[in-house]
Amino acid sequence: MSVPVPADAASVRQAAALLRDGEVVALPTETVYGLAADATNATAVERIFAIKGRPADHPLIVHLLDADALDAWAIEIPEEARVLAGAGWPGPLTIVLRRAPSVLDVVTGGLDTVALRVPAHPVARAVLVEFGGAFAAPSANRFGRVSPTTAAAVADDLGDEVGFILDGGACRVGVESTIVDCSGDTTVVLRPGGVTVERISELLDRPVAIGGTTRAPGTLPAHYAPDARVVIADDREAATVAAAHLAEGRTVALLASTVPMGLSDRVAVLEPPETDEEYARVLYDRLRTADHHGIEVVVAVPPNPVGIGLAVRDRLERAAASA
Ligand code: TXA
Ligand code: MG
């Protein structure tokens, strides 16, 4: 069982050396913790899939130090992608582009596109500088489960499989990056995330479409699931929904930014986030807390689907679809 190592100059050098040796390391990004391997080493990248139990046809995001590396990984880069990269990087934004011929099939899942992101987290950036290359990294959780936002959560989930976990503290954003597909005729948001859709539209100076049909596990209806069953309710019905589950003999917790009137005192109230940003930051941690307490049903009142609230709602809906 590996114990997280605090990030400092020495441990960052060690992580980079492990990447060069074809090993997999867990490290923090500003969104969630990632499970990183040298994106140009097929054997190393295959290890990620084995560790996560992730199907081979689910592509990974390649993490770059800066936008200068774009042309080494992608071709036919449209102007809109340059605009998004220029304004959104480093940051919680992933851009899907037509892949350069050299990009490994194991990274793209055989697609002719590649997902690229320049992370903002100082530890991820320090590893990229020291490593000198690019790393492919999915979230550092078992496939289909809740993403980790602390090193301890990575150790809980994958501590037996991952030899090195770099601890850079709790993630600032808390939900995964926004994925924008710029590889087709129209730019489309495939996954809402850390950069708001409103911000993407503002940068492109026009409304941007959400959705798309590209295969992506983060876009499967059921994903991001804790052990507890997640049930979505609005503020007015949450107390009634909770009472119904209590009546069935289940242990119930509430995740909401305000405690609804009439809530039974037998419902465990997960510490309420005060803003939508905080909701995003603490979402996965609260779901893990519910699991640690053996909660069977989490009644969740999502934020309004605007700004970062859209990403929070999206993850809760996918968690609820897994029930
Ligand atoms: O914030 C994040 O994006 C985190 C951190 C670690 O960077 N990473 C992350 O990776 O969430 P993962 O593997 O859990 O989710 C990556 C998503 C998946 O839904 C995958 O299908 C999609 O990106 N993706 C990757 N390559 C793609 C491509 N070529 N076309 C469309 N979607 C792609
Ligand atoms: Mg993931």
Side-chain angles (χ1 to χ4, degrees):
M1 171 87 186
S2 39
V3 175
V5 182
D8 58 21
S11 57
V12 163
R13 270 200 303 277
Q14 199 180 342
L18 288 165
L19 289 176
R20 275 193 294 275
D21 286 345
E23 300 290 337
V24 170
V25 303
L27 47 74
T29 82
E30 72 278 26
T31 56
V32 300
Y33 273 70
L35 198 57
D38 179 353
T40 64
N41 180 333
T43 314
V45 174
E46 277 161 13
R47 271 199 197 118
I48 294 177
F49 287 86
I51 290 172
K52 277 194 65 128
R54 175 163 164 137
D57 60 353
H58 287 298
L60 302 179
I61 297 171
V62 176
H63 296 69
L64 313 170
L65 179 61
D66 54 44
D68 294 347
L70 254 181
D71 295 275
W73 290 88
I75 54 171
E76 299 167 29
I77 301 169
E79 184 52 30
E80 290 203 330
R82 303 263 183 208
V83 169
L84 294 178
W89 286 351
L93 174 69
T94 295
I95 304 177
V96 174
L97 292 162
R98 301 192 70 77
R99 72 166 176 181
S102 57
V103 182
L104 297 174
D105 277 335
V106 63
V107 170
T108 67
L111 297 175
D112 58 6
T113 55
V114 62
L116 302 170
R117 161 159 128 81
V118 173
H121 196 290
V123 173
R125 300 192 59 72
V127 171
L128 282 166
V129 168
E130 195 68 38
F131 173 48
F135 61 74
S139 50
N141 52 281
R142 261 175 235 291
F143 183 67
R145 307 308 303 272
V146 175
S147 297
T149 52
T150 62
V154 178
D156 259 7
D157 228 24
L158 297 174
D160 290 333
E161 287 86 1
V162 183
F164 198 75
I165 303 171
L166 208 48
D167 187 349
C171 299
R172 171 173 61 82
V173 178
V175 290
E176 300 80 354
S177 61
T178 303
I179 303 180
V180 183
D181 187 352
C182 294
S183 70
D185 292 336
T186 49
T187 299
V188 44
V189 173
L190 298 181
R191 177 178 74 181
V195 174
T196 65
V197 174
E198 292 87 341
R199 175 73 178 142
I200 304 284
S201 295
E202 182 186 301
L203 291 172
L204 298 180
D205 203 19
R206 61 177 179 80
V208 66
I210 306 174
T213 53
T214 320
R215 180 179 43 223
T219 61
L220 291 177
H223 210 66
Y224 308 105
D227 293 330
R229 176 168 156 207
V230 174
V231 176
I232 294 185
D234 71 28
D235 186 56
R236 285 157 311 169
E237 64 192 12
T240 315
V241 171
H245 285 285
L246 286 173
E248 298 284 323
R250 302 186 187 103
T251 51
V252 180
L254 174 87
L255 177 58
S257 36
T258 53
V259 178
M261 299 270 287
L263 188 74
S264 163
D265 59 10
R266 288 189 291 141
V267 173
V269 176
L270 298 163
E271 196 185 333
E274 284 181 4
T275 62
D276 290 356
E277 283 71 24
E278 188 186 349
Y279 207 143
R281 190 160 57 241
V282 302
L283 171 66
Y284 292 139
D285 190 64
R286 294 290 187 277
L287 295 177
R288 283 173 188 273
T289 301
D291 280 349
H292 280 144
H293 289 89
I295 295 294
E296 289 162 311
V297 177
V298 174
V299 176
V301 181
N304 291 325
V306 293
I308 191 80
L310 182 67
V312 175
R313 187 173 271 263
D314 170 81
R315 303 308 188 272
L316 282 170
E317 282 170 354
R318 288 176 207 286
S322 299

